Amino acid sequence: MLGRRNDLAILYYSLGVMLLVVDIGNTHTAFGLFDGEALRFDWRIETRSERTADEQAAIFRGLFELESLDMHQVDAAIISSVVPPATLPMERLFARYFKLTPLVVGPGMKTGMPVLYENPRDLGADRIVNAVAAYARFSQGAIVVDFGTATTLDVVTARGEYAGGIITPGLLISADALYRATAKLPRVEIARPKAVVGTNTVASIQSGLVFGYAGMIDALVNRIRAEVAYAPKIVATGGLGALVVRESSTIEEYDELLTLRGLKILYERNRG
């Protein structure tokens, strides 16, 4: 087990409750460490559902030591996961190495947001977390665009209800499908090309991915706007979001860490 190391100089001193939030996505797992209200540290690693609690502990210890932190400084934890096989090892990690029982986003959790989905149990945990974070931040109806493994658009009403949304293949999935389903097209870096009209194969694929996705998002946002009776705030999140946001004419805000902030809100609403 990981014990407190005497030779580690703890340079960071907590000013409040130290909350570790964990967002387990299909491609990446994001962590955030809140000190009171402030998000002090955040990390991102590849999601591997076969990792054991002990392997996760080794990763955590390395990340904490890089920031001169002690794992025993953590007071509480909350997990959001869309990868069920990865959830239990994470819970075991907290039980064994942090001596904590984490909150897990799921049915029965108090979100403070009515869900209008036909079957709320079908709703991915990250989608409700994003919706809660957006409404708490802007206090108005919103469309949250999350550029993850899948690209999702989630709609929050002006009354703070989760109305539903849209799911499309993400940028990485689309790029990988293009490579696997064709005989001659290469795998490319997802980056902005110099022009819309590509003068080589790589630039042509990049144009389709980056500008094509920006156009798709704008079209979907405008269709949602036409269906609702209020002016929603358009906010984007997700690791690949920054690339597309610059090419979008509808996205108004980008917060890569929106999901982590939403987990902090849900912890506050359920910690009792």
Side-chain angles (χ1 to χ4, degrees), residues 28-256:
H28 293 108
T29 296
F31 310 97
L33 187 62
F34 282 87
D35 180 9
E37 297 302 313
L39 178 58
R40 299 296 186 186
F41 304 95
D42 65 271
W43 306 272
R44 184 181 295 268
I45 65 171
E46 182 184 8
T47 297
R48 291 187 182 177
S49 57
E50 68 273 13
R51 280 197 184 112
T52 66
D54 300 323
E55 290 172 313
Q56 295 281 21
I59 292 172
F60 267 90
R61 181 171 185 169
L63 293 173
F64 270 55
E65 289 191 357
L66 284 172
E67 302 292 352
S68 298
L69 293 166
D70 187 332
M71 291 170 65
H72 292 83
Q73 289 179 283
V74 176
D75 301 306
I78 183 170
I79 301 169
S80 167
S81 175
V82 295
V83 187
T87 308
L88 185 57
M90 192 67 69
E91 292 183 75
R92 288 173 174 166
L93 159 74
F94 281 109
R96 182 175 183 185
Y97 294 101
F98 287 86
K99 306 302 182 185
L100 297 172
T101 300
L103 291 173
V104 179
V105 178
M109 172 170 277
K110 293 182 290 185
T111 65
M113 176 170 286
V115 176
L116 307 184
Y117 226 46
E118 291 180 2
N119 185 354
R121 291 179 179 272
D122 289 343
L123 184 62
D126 55 340
R127 297 176 69 189
I128 190 65
V129 173
N130 286 339
V132 167
Y135 191 74
R137 177 175 176 182
F138 300 109
S139 299
Q140 67 178 88
I143 301 172
V144 183
V145 186
D146 188 350
F147 293 93
T149 306
T151 296
T152 58
L153 290 83
D154 294 298
V155 182
V156 182
T157 71
R159 296 185 296 273
E161 304 157 320
Y162 180 88
I166 298 168
I167 303 174
T168 71
L171 273 164
L172 291 175
I173 289 178
S174 298
D176 189 62
L178 196 61
Y179 167 72
R180 293 180 182 276
T182 59
K184 296 183 66 176
L185 294 182
R187 192 187 299 274
V188 303
E189 176 190 4
I190 299 179
R192 187 190 192 279
K194 295 180 180 179
V196 174
V197 179
T199 55
N200 57 65
T201 301
V202 170
S204 297
I205 295 173
Q206 290 173 331
S207 179
L209 290 171
V210 176
F211 300 131
Y213 258 78
M216 178 189 71
I217 294 302
D218 290 341
L220 292 174
V221 166
N222 285 328
R223 284 178 177 270
I224 294 171
R225 282 171 167 168
E227 287 190 4
V228 300
Y230 53 91
K233 186 77 172 179
I234 318 301
V235 56
T237 188
L240 292 172
L243 183 63
V244 179
V245 165
R246 291 194 294 268
E247 312 304 329
S248 168
S249 62
T250 58
I251 295 174
E252 300 169 293
E253 298 276 347
Y254 174 64
D255 183 354
E256 183 179 356

